[in-house]
Amino acid sequence: MTRKMWGFIPVLNCSQLLSFCPPQSRPSVIRIATPDLRENSLQRTMSDQAFVTLATNDSYAKGAMVLGQSLRKHNTTKKLVALIGPHVAEPCRDALGSIFDEVCVVDVVDSGDVAHLALMKRPDLGVTFTKLHCWTLTHYSKCVFMDADTLVLSNIDELFEREELSAAPDPGWPDCFNSGVFVFRPSNETHEKLLAFCGEKGSFDGGDQGVLNSFFNTWATADISKHLPFIYNLSSVSIYSYLPAFKEYGRNAKVVHFLGKVKPWNYSYDAQKGEVRGHALTPDQGQLHPDYLLLWWQLYSKSVMPVLQQAYGETPFNSGLTEESENGQLQEDVSAQPEASAPPPQKVSSEVRKQRWEAGQIDYMGDDSFANIERKLDSFLK
Ligand SMILES: [Mn+2]
């Protein structure tokens, strides 16, 4: 009975409420805290926008942590949100929690709604559905999604001036946008439309980029302001495919995207020497720019390792850091698991090297490193 009564209480503002009080019980001075109010509304505007990333496993969680710290390092005023899959380990969640403002576990299998239905039609698109979940963050009015394999090089808060769906061209097919960095407006309606679309039509590339490009299919032609400059999603692939452009514009890069199968966390790092190690000479690998790779590891060892150590406590974990032992032999971190160890670079003859280059097996970290290519290029350009 009493509970029901609450339903009839109208929403009143302060002065309306005060008018019910007898005059003697009213406070003599009503403090109007203007500065506080202003601060609150400012905070509201800022907390109304967020950078969002996604980690489906512990390795990607490390990437997300480095991304989060790179955004913090460049003084973002926006909130940081990490979506995580149900398989991310507890200490990793804790570590993410101390870098991000919000960590949301997304389990598409558990959601008994449109997502579940779509997933039953296309079980192969599970990870994609997890990513599309970012549209349900409706307590934000605008967000910028960033893959966990991206790294921020300067403040990029200006991206929030853009509208949905803004993204940079994909280096492989520039009429498509790359879905590693995009501006969007959370909306349950859009989320459901996306899922239904996904369930019906699937994805032409098997991932979120295919779905999003088919859904936002006027991106290439309708509104040039939705084309983010390439410097907001620079992939190493393009550095090597158009080196002169990189030489001209590369210094303005704001976001690096470590595209490809091999990610920064697949390497290891000697913190004492400040060297990245463990480069494998197999096709489709090692396409990461050594300078950006080093930057990633520097940030990881300085700003992420302490957070991880705190979260794991005594429990050993795969840190990816290596130490030189007293007899000069390279040792993996005692706690490291086999996943982190890739074969060390090998010296090969120039003939073999040429063959490998032509077969697309490029030793970006060694003989074919950017510095060497640049030297060669400079000798032509002079
Ligand atoms: Mn990516």
Side-chain angles (χ1 to χ4, degrees), residues 60 131 147-150 178-180 257-260 263:
Y60 275 81
K131 185 161 173 176
D147 271 1
D149 59 352
T150 58
N178 182 279
S179 62
H257 188 177
F258 297 100
L259 269 182
K263 301 301 182 189

Side-chain angles (χ1 to χ4, degrees), residues 99-221:
I99 296 169
F100 287 77
D101 296 292
E102 212 182 323
V103 179
C104 315
V105 184
V106 181
D107 196 348
V108 189
V109 183
D110 275 355
S111 55
D113 50 7
V114 197
H116 199 180
L117 260 171
L119 185 67
M120 289 206 298
K121 282 188 201 161
R122 295 300 303 256
D124 53 313
L125 295 178
V127 174
T128 297
F129 290 131
T130 311
K131 185 161 173 176
L132 297 182
H133 201 84
C134 67
W135 261 274
T136 66
L137 297 167
T138 51
H139 48 302
Y140 300 105
S141 66
K142 198 187 274 184
C143 294
V144 172
F145 184 92
M146 299 186 77
D147 271 1
D149 59 352
T150 58
L151 176 68
V152 167
L153 307 177
S154 64
N155 186 291
I156 51 166
D157 286 356
E158 69 272 15
L159 283 180
F160 288 84
E161 291 161 19
R162 306 273 180 159
E163 264 314 316
E164 175 174 285
L165 184 293
S166 293
D170 184 81
W173 196 268
D175 282 346
C176 286
F177 58 84
N178 182 279
S179 62
V181 177
F182 62 87
V183 183
F184 70 101
R185 275 196 185 276
S187 144
N188 289 322
E189 197 192 332
T190 311
H191 180 240
E192 287 184 11
K193 280 185 189 164
L194 269 166
L195 289 175
F197 185 87
C198 212
E200 294 307 320
K201 312 221 163 124
S203 162
F204 70 76
D205 68 358
D208 59 279
Q209 183 159 314
V211 174
L212 291 173
N213 270 279
S214 304
F215 189 82
F216 295 100
N217 62 358
T218 60
W219 172 84
T221 51

